[in-house]
Amino acid sequence: MSRARALAPAVVLALAAVCAGAEAPAQSLLSHDWLVLQPELGLSYANVVAFNNDGLFPSASSTSGLGPRFGLLAGMRFGPVTFGARGDLARYAAYDVGDAGLFVELRVPVPFVQPFGRVGAGYAWLGDLNPDPRYLACGPTGSGASCPKVSGWFASVGGGLDLAVSSHFTLGANLDVTFLNLTRASSPTSVMFTNTGDSVGLQVTLGLHAALRI
């Protein structure tokens, strides 16, 4: 009997801890962040003509590669839903890929480890165009000043895991797949790019991020 009495307080404390843990996700579902500010850094692969190359680049051009990708996400969270705007810039040998658009994220706001998925869409463009080392730049001067404009739209889908370090700070990892639909204007000063072009490409990024949540 004395042993049972001695164990009773421990059992009560254990049950209380379980109940508190069960209530934590429900309370998190009702919480919100007025500002989510999240920088991201990752390694990205891109091939802007992965699915279609309707004259965007000459056939001999280098159109794929690996490079770093930098991003910034800003938004608001209400319960499990976060929405806002984001911008990214990836650097490759043949070109830079930039994008700016909107995103919606759905996460499981439980304590500690929080899985999430997200989708996004917006405007995309290519910069620092150098599709083939033999030509160095688009124009005959080699300065890149006569490079035709390449832009279009993107749609992305991704997900990852966040580690809730505190109520206002998280660390995480993400995997994003971006589909690019790009159109190139013609350039009268470039021998290789005198006609317009179009493409459907792919970008895949594995990244790390940190978020400030206020």
Side-chain angles (χ1 to χ4, degrees):
M1 182 64 67
S2 59
R3 181 177 298 180
R5 289 179 179 177
L7 290 175
V11 172
V12 171
L13 290 174
L15 290 174
V18 170
C19 292
E23 291 177 359
Q27 293 172 352
S28 297
L29 286 171
L30 299 177
S31 66
H32 60 271
D33 297 318
W34 292 114
L35 174 64
V36 178
L37 193 61
Q38 180 172 296
E40 297 184 353
L41 173 63
L43 178 65
S44 182
Y45 166 82
N47 184 351
V48 295
V49 296
F51 302 112
N52 178 61
N53 182 14
D54 188 12
L56 185 76
F57 291 137
S59 59
S61 298
S62 174
T63 57
S64 64
L66 287 170
R69 186 178 183 184
F70 312 92
L72 180 63
L73 176 154
M76 302 173 67
R77 180 182 69 86
F78 292 94
V81 180
T82 303
F83 61 90
R86 66 173 299 154
D88 298 274
L89 178 65
R91 306 296 304 270
Y92 308 102
Y95 43 70
D96 296 345
V97 177
D99 63 69
L102 303 177
F103 76 93
V104 176
E105 180 180 283
L106 180 65
R107 69 174 47 241
V108 183
V110 297
F112 308 119
V113 179
Q114 302 178 352
F116 66 88
R118 63 189 181 190
V119 295
Y123 177 75
W125 68 92
L126 298 191
D128 196 19
L129 196 61
N130 181 24
D132 194 310
R134 294 177 298 173
Y135 302 112
L136 298 180
C138 306
T141 63
S143 65
S146 59
C147 290
K149 180 180 179 180
V150 179
S151 62
W153 57 266
F154 79 92
S156 65
V157 60
L161 290 173
D162 275 347
L163 177 64
V165 179
S166 70
S167 58
H168 297 294
F169 189 72
T170 57
L171 294 172
N174 56 277
L175 177 65
D176 291 285
V177 178
T178 303
F179 300 93
L180 301 163
N181 190 330
L182 302 171
T183 300
R184 175 180 53 75
S186 61
S187 174
T189 61
S190 172
V191 176
M192 301 301 297
F193 297 98
T194 54
N195 298 319
T196 60
D198 187 78
S199 76
V200 179
L202 180 70
Q203 188 178 34
V204 180
T205 303
L206 180 62
L208 301 174
H209 57 260
L212 175 65
R213 302 175 179 275
I214 302 173

